Amino acid sequence: MNRLKDKLTDVSKEKSLVVRILPLLIIVFAALFIITVIVFFIHQKASLKGDVSLKMRSSERILKDDIEKDAYLLESLIEPIMNNKELITALINRDRETLKQAGLPIFNHLSTHYHITHFTFIDSNCTSIIRLHELNLFGEKVNRYTCKQAEKNQKISYGLELGVLGTFTLRLVAPINVNNKLAGYIELGMDINNIVQRIKNTLEVEPYVLIEKSLLNQQDWESGMNMLGYKSDWNMLPKYVINNASIENIPECIIQIFSMNKFRKQEIYLNQSSKDNRFNIGYFPLFDASGKKVGIMVISDLYTHRIIDDIKTFSLAVVISLIIVLLILWFFYKVLSRIDARLSDQNIFLENTVKERTADLQKTKNELVSQHLLLEKTNEELVSFTYIVSHDLRAPLVNLTGFSKELNDSIIDMKSIIDESIKNNLISEKDIERLNYIMSQDIPESLNFITTSTIKINNMMEALLKLSRIGKTELIKEFLDVNEIVQFNIDLFAHQIETFDIKVTVGKLHRIYADRLSIEQIIGNLIDNAIKYRDSKRPLTLKISSNQNETETIFYFEDNGIGIDEDKTEKIFEVFHRIENRNVQGEGLGLANLKALVAKHGGHIWCESVKGVGSTFIFTIKGISTRALPLTRKEARPLDPLTLY
């Protein structure tokens, strides 16, 4: 109660709930706001990365699909050319002029309507006869993969390839056979810029084709870029050139990224700045028809407008969140202020109540102290009375024993007198018979009963004195090896064990902290009882084991003796109660003593038995008893393996 009073005093001195809780709420909301911002930006970054990754994969798919579509278109366009007898005859004869006169109108038509950028006639030795798209270039050996595949398989071959001028072109090469003899090849080509433009229009991104410098000739590449109308710079990037855009149209961030030697460590670069714009950039490799990597395609996604939208959305969300938080804080302020007022009233009420209860408890405490002192005094008087009664009864018992002996001696003397009187014929035969019966049977029998009763009463008084001393005996606790104590007791009963062919099985018993003398008495008494109350129809088997939980150690003494009726398993621990009305020495105080010894160790003792099957005596030892009821047999089942002594 004093603690409660002190607590109430401390509570009244504490700060109000508004002062204690409101700052915490502000901190919590601030932390939540920071976490929300972090999560938002992480989510935003992941979303942007996913968007760029999707556009990269889509660009790859469009590139692959459009190559197949354009190759099919080229194949359909080259078929009429292959059937043009004038062109085939000129090809066989390597007639450049005829090929020029007949081919240029066809090339102009294909270039205007189908974006064909390359039209070449090649002889059977893979040497170019005429390039209708570049009339000044002819007579060189054509070593491109598509031409070699057409020569090898004698079938149409197509794929992306780098040209002499550094352009990345979809080429289709068709072998021309006349009378089963190779006459040469016709090649149609379509610049990749058409596909790049479709990627741009479809995905709303800006694609850039970067070709590795190691595969190009600087002079030829610069000539090709000038022909296409692009302003170029061979040294703009260390390892690549951009062949589909002028340098003034290329964002600075792309130049910065691909100027680094370690740019390959990641495929996506987010939120890259260039002048007043922001870009998300990704790239994927480009391969020619032979599967050789020739460069990369860079996808640049303009992000500026999305940043502005995100900032507006985020700012609006922040303003709305702040308004909501302020409303919540205002609500909590009102609620906490009201609670503070109520708590103040409750504290005053509790303080008054505590004062009243403290007075009542003090009064009750004083009464309990008085009752406790009275009980202690009564208990001392009871023990003293037991001792006095036992001591005072001993003197009359000694007298009874002494007088019984004297009376027995007197009877002997009387018998000698009677024998003398018989010799002298002083007593009649009838009286002689009567006297003989009294002297030899009645009086000795009565004296024997008096002596036996006296001995029994004396033993009972000794047992009562011993039981009364248990409460006063101080326990000397130490760590005990219970196996050693059990073995000591088994050695004491070695003669009975051998005589009655008793089998004792002892498990690995747990060590305990207890009084050695008490444990020796408990174990010795339980072994003695098992031997005394064995079943004569079968050899006695005694199993001793132990188990341990968090609070106590449990010991088991299991035998196959005569057993006990279930309704008597509690009575056997009462004073002067015997297990069975058998010719067994003792006053019926053994188990009562054990119960007192076990209780003094903070434990319990009980018996589980089946009549005619056997009994198990279980007792527990612990420092402070926390269990209201003893363990059941199911809870306290021994776990250790048994070893035979």
Side-chain angles (χ1 to χ4, degrees):
M1 184 58 72
N2 288 333
R3 289 181 181 178
L4 181 59
K5 188 175 181 181
D6 294 339
K7 269 189 177 180
L8 287 172
T9 304
D10 293 340
V11 167
S12 62
K13 293 179 180 179
E14 286 181 357
K15 297 178 181 179
S16 66
L17 288 175
V18 173
V19 176
R20 284 186 294 159
I21 295 178
L22 213 57
L24 291 176
L25 286 175
I26 294 172
I27 293 171
V28 169
F29 282 125
L32 287 174
F33 176 76
I34 294 170
I35 292 170
T36 302
V37 171
I38 294 171
V39 170
F40 172 80
F41 282 110
I42 291 173
H43 174 75
Q44 190 73 0
K45 185 176 180 180
S47 176
L48 290 174
K49 190 173 182 179
D51 187 37
V52 175
S53 179
L54 177 62
K55 289 184 176 181
M56 285 169 56
R57 302 290 89 81
S58 299
S59 299
E60 286 185 275
R61 187 173 63 254
I62 291 171
L63 179 63
K64 183 179 178 182
D65 293 345
D66 281 12
I67 288 172
E68 295 296 327
K69 292 176 184 177
D70 289 349
Y72 181 76
L73 173 63
L74 290 174
E75 189 174 352
S76 64
L77 293 175
I78 206 170
E79 189 174 343
I81 299 172
M82 294 170 62
N83 295 325
N84 189 313
K85 292 182 180 181
E86 183 181 3
L87 290 175
I88 299 303
T89 302
L91 175 63
I92 294 171
N93 296 325
R94 294 179 174 79
D95 185 354
R96 293 186 73 252
E97 190 61 32
T98 302
L99 291 173
K100 177 181 176 182
Q101 295 298 326
L104 276 176
I106 298 173
F107 173 64
N108 292 331
H109 173 77
L110 294 177
S111 177
T112 303
H113 294 87
Y114 300 103
H115 306 291
I116 301 301
T117 57
H118 294 70
F119 191 177
T120 306
F121 289 93
I122 305 168
D123 65 16
S124 58
N125 295 321
C126 292
T127 303
S128 66
I129 299 172
I130 187 171
R131 298 175 186 269
L132 296 176
H133 57 284
E134 188 67 39
L135 295 173
N136 295 327
L137 292 176
F138 64 93
E140 81 282 0
K141 188 73 173 178
V142 180
N143 292 319
R144 287 191 293 272
Y145 179 79
T146 52
C147 190
K148 290 180 179 180
Q149 286 296 105
E151 179 185 14
K152 178 181 177 181
N153 301 322
Q154 289 299 302
K155 292 181 179 179
I156 291 176
S157 176
Y158 68 90
L160 288 177
E161 289 183 308
L162 278 176
V164 177
L165 302 178
T167 55
F168 206 33
T169 308
L170 173 62
R171 301 177 188 274
L172 184 140
V173 179
I176 305 299
N177 293 288
V178 178
N179 298 324
N180 296 323
K181 184 178 179 181
L182 181 65
Y185 305 90
I186 300 175
E187 179 188 85
L188 287 180
M190 182 183 293
D191 196 90
I192 195 176
N193 284 339
N194 294 316
I195 300 176
V196 171
Q197 191 62 36
R198 284 197 286 271
I199 292 173
K200 176 180 179 180
N201 296 334
T202 303
L203 301 178
E204 296 181 349
V205 295
E206 194 66 46
Y208 297 94
V209 178
L210 276 65
I211 304 299
E212 293 186 10
K213 287 183 178 180
S214 59
L215 303 175
L216 302 173
N217 177 277
Q218 180 178 354
Q219 187 176 356
D220 292 339
W221 177 78
E222 288 176 345
S223 175
M225 293 299 288
N226 290 331
M227 181 184 69
L228 294 172
Y230 294 135
K231 186 178 179 181
S232 61
D233 182 1
W234 176 265
N235 297 315
M236 184 170 61
L237 297 174
K239 293 185 178 182
Y240 295 96
V241 291
I242 302 175
N243 71 349
N244 70 323
S246 294
I247 57 175
E248 67 271 9
N249 296 326
I250 301 170
E252 293 177 1
C253 55
I254 291 181
I255 298 172
Q256 292 172 358
I257 291 171
F258 294 99
S259 294
M260 298 185 301
N261 292 326
K262 298 180 180 179
F263 76 88
R264 290 187 179 87
K265 288 188 175 181
Q266 63 187 77
E267 292 183 345
I268 296 174
Y269 294 84
L270 300 177
N271 201 17
Q272 301 296 310
S273 62
S274 181
K275 296 182 180 179
D276 296 330
N277 291 318
R278 294 276 181 171
F279 297 90
N280 295 322
I281 295 169
Y283 71 91
F284 59 88
L286 291 175
F287 301 92
D288 65 7
S290 65
K292 179 182 177 182
K293 183 183 176 184
V294 294
I296 58 176
M297 179 174 284
V298 178
I299 303 299
S300 174
D301 185 15
L302 184 61
Y303 177 55
T304 307
H305 63 285
R306 291 181 60 184
I307 287 180
I308 296 171
D309 292 340
D310 289 344
I311 291 173
K312 288 180 179 178
T313 303
F314 182 73
S315 301
L316 181 61
V318 168
V319 171
I320 294 172
S321 299
L322 286 174
I323 293 172
I324 293 172
V325 168
L326 289 174
L327 289 173
I328 293 173
L329 291 175
W330 177 82
F331 172 77
F332 271 101
Y333 173 79
K334 289 294 184 181
V335 171
L336 291 174
S337 298
R338 187 173 296 180
I339 293 173
D340 274 335
R342 291 184 179 180
L343 283 176
S344 178
D345 295 340
Q346 289 294 326
N347 284 338
I348 294 171
F349 173 76
L350 284 174
E351 285 179 2
N352 295 331
T353 304
V354 166
K355 288 178 181 177
E356 295 174 1
R357 293 291 184 273
T358 302
D360 293 341
L361 285 174
Q362 187 61 42
K363 182 179 179 182
T364 305
K365 180 182 176 182
N366 294 336
E367 292 176 356
L368 287 173
V369 169
S370 300
Q371 292 293 329
H372 178 70
L373 293 173
L374 181 63
L375 283 173
E376 283 187 346
K377 184 177 180 182
T378 303
N379 188 51
E380 290 176 359
E381 290 176 353
L382 183 60
V383 173
S384 177
F385 174 76
T386 302
Y387 179 80
I388 292 170
V389 168
S390 301
H391 185 272
D392 291 348
L393 281 176
R394 187 168 292 174
L397 285 174
V398 171
N399 291 335
L400 279 173
T401 303
F403 285 123
S404 295
K405 187 175 182 302
E406 288 184 10
L407 187 57
N408 190 51
D409 293 340
S410 298
I411 290 171
I412 294 171
D413 293 340
M414 287 178 65
K415 192 173 183 182
S416 62
I417 294 171
I418 291 171
D419 290 339
E420 187 67 27
S421 298
I422 291 172
K423 288 180 181 180
N424 298 325
N425 294 320
L426 298 175
I427 303 174
S428 65
E429 292 183 3
K430 185 177 180 181
D431 291 336
I432 290 171
E433 291 178 2
R434 176 63 180 161
L435 285 170
N436 280 332
Y437 180 80
I438 292 171
M439 298 298 292
S440 61
Q441 293 189 32
D442 278 358
I443 293 177
E445 184 178 345
S446 298
L447 286 174
N448 183 57
F449 176 77
I450 291 171
T451 302
T452 304
S453 298
T454 303
I455 293 170
K456 187 173 182 180
I457 292 171
N458 188 62
N459 290 339
M460 290 175 68
M461 286 190 299
E462 288 289 342
L464 280 172
L465 285 171
K466 185 178 179 182
L467 185 62
S468 68
R469 290 191 196 105
I470 290 177
K472 294 183 177 181
T473 305
E474 183 179 353
L475 298 179
I476 303 174
K477 291 188 176 183
E478 58 183 301
F479 289 103
L480 301 177
D481 183 350
V482 183
N483 279 95
E484 179 187 330
I485 295 173
V486 169
Q487 186 59 51
F488 170 76
N489 280 278
I490 289 174
D491 293 341
L492 291 179
F493 293 99
H495 177 70
Q496 293 97 313
I497 291 173
E498 184 178 353
T499 302
F500 299 116
D501 192 22
I502 299 171
K503 182 180 179 182
V504 182
T505 305
V506 184
K508 186 177 180 181
L509 306 177
H510 290 82
R511 291 172 61 85
I512 58 172
Y513 186 68
D515 178 66
R516 176 179 287 275
L517 184 60
S518 300
I519 300 302
E520 287 179 350
Q521 290 181 30
I522 294 168
I523 292 173
N525 192 289
L526 291 175
I527 294 175
D528 185 37
N529 278 353
I531 295 173
K532 285 180 180 178
Y533 296 97
R534 66 187 180 279
D535 193 330
S536 58
K537 297 177 183 177
R538 56 179 178 267
L540 176 64
T541 299
L542 176 61
K543 294 180 181 179
I544 303 173
S545 58
S546 74
N547 191 13
Q548 203 167 51
N549 57 33
E550 295 178 355
T551 58
E552 57 194 358
T553 305
I554 310 104
F555 293 93
Y556 309 84
F557 286 70
E558 183 178 356
D559 63 53
N560 64 340
I562 60 174
I564 307 168
D565 291 328
E566 188 177 353
D567 59 345
K568 295 180 181 178
T569 54
E570 294 183 8
K571 293 182 179 180
I572 58 175
F573 296 99
E574 296 176 0
V575 179
F576 301 129
H577 193 94
R578 304 292 291 273
I579 292 178
E580 188 173 311
N581 190 19
R582 303 183 73 187
N583 189 21
V584 177
Q585 294 181 354
E587 289 73 40
L589 286 170
L591 291 177
N593 277 333
L594 296 194
K595 184 177 180 181
L597 289 172
V598 170
K600 197 161 185 180
H601 283 79
H604 303 276
I605 184 168
W606 70 97
C607 174
E608 296 176 0
S609 182
V610 178
K611 185 72 172 178
V613 176
S615 304
T616 300
F617 283 84
I618 307 166
F619 71 91
T620 64
I621 298 295
K622 58 181 176 179
I624 300 175
S625 179
T626 58
R627 184 181 294 275
L629 297 173
L631 292 170
T632 64
R633 188 174 178 80
K634 185 175 181 181
E635 289 175 295
R637 186 175 299 156
L639 300 177
D640 299 312
L642 298 177
T643 55
L644 181 63
Y645 271 88

